[in-house]
Amino acid sequence: MSQIIPLALGNPRQPFIVLSGPSFAVELMEKLPTAMVVASKDKKLASAVQQLLASSNLRISTSSDVTGVEIAGALKNVLAIAAGIVEGMHLGNNCMAALVAQGCSEIRWLATKMGAKPTTLSGLSGSGDIMLTCFVNLSRNRNVGLRLGSGEKLGEILDSMNQVAEGVSTAGAVIALAQKYNVKLPVLTAVARIIDNELTPKRAVMELMNLPQVEEV
């Protein structure tokens, strides 16, 4: 779950905070143990929000890396769609592990080009949020991917949902960001092309598996 909280609407010079991390609202409501990150360029503000929200059931870490928290929080939803597609196509655990590992690398490549800190991407708002969103059935984005992988049409899936799967709209920005920052994002851009009906899930798997063999980075 990611939330951007503006503190003074209409004044771009006013600070704002981003609250993100591996958390489903239903478990927060049930007071189950949860950890999240609050990010702001204003360290005093982040600390104040930390003290306000922290409880015996909720740990809040602070970060000044707003870019890293925001990018990881947005792109993990696109990756979750990919993970759901793998599940829906019954491609197995090996494929799931490889896909999510590749997706994590792609998020890191793009986010660091945009100024994010690598440590943010391996923390709660990065790896933590990715694991939750990609592997748990409560994830809306994962379920969209699962249904796409099972052969359903995107329009039918969205019409049947009463909640928003953010990765669907976020996917549209992936290709533009990849071009702007000159980063190759094969998994994330494949999701964008599937969402745009330019590529079928089956064809996407074939294209990804036929990419040149490279050194891991």
Side-chain angles (χ1 to χ4, degrees), residues 8-9 109 128 170 172 208:
L9 295 176
W109 297 337
T170 304
L208 290 169

Side-chain angles (χ1 to χ4, degrees), residues 36-57:
M36 301 179 70
V37 174
V38 59
S40 176
K41 296 293 185 183
D42 186 330
K43 292 186 177 182
K44 289 184 178 179
L45 175 62
S47 181
V49 174
Q50 178 188 48
Q51 297 303 313
L52 177 67
L53 297 180
S55 71
S56 58
N57 304 306

Side-chain angles (χ1 to χ4, degrees), residues 20-117:
S20 184
S23 57
F24 287 130
V26 64
E27 295 190 5
L28 283 170
M29 292 172 63
E30 293 173 358
K31 300 186 183 300
L32 296 176
T34 301
M36 301 179 70
V37 174
V38 59
S40 176
K41 296 293 185 183
D42 186 330
K43 292 186 177 182
K44 289 184 178 179
L45 175 62
S47 181
V49 174
Q50 178 188 48
Q51 297 303 313
L52 177 67
L53 297 180
S55 71
S56 58
N57 304 306
L58 179 60
R59 288 188 58 81
I60 301 289
S61 299
T62 61
S63 173
S64 60
D65 184 11
V66 175
T67 297
V69 172
E70 285 189 306
I71 294 299
L75 295 186
K76 65 97 173 20
N77 293 320
V78 181
L79 180 55
I81 293 176
I85 289 172
V86 167
E87 184 74 17
M89 294 179 70
H90 305 289
L91 297 179
N93 296 317
N94 293 349
C95 182
M96 180 68 77
L99 174 107
V100 174
Q102 172 67 24
C104 287
S105 293
E106 292 180 16
I107 292 172
R108 171 170 53 84
W109 297 337
L110 177 60
T112 52
K113 277 285 190 79
M114 297 176 70
K117 299 175 182 177

Side-chain angles (χ1 to χ4, degrees), residues 14 48 54 79 81 91 93 119 129 141 143 146 148 171 187 197 200 209:
Q14 290 295 322
L79 180 55
I81 293 176
L91 297 179
N93 296 317
T119 51
D129 214 358
N141 295 285
N143 285 330
L146 192 154
L148 285 170
V187 166
N197 204 31
T200 65
M209 290 303 295

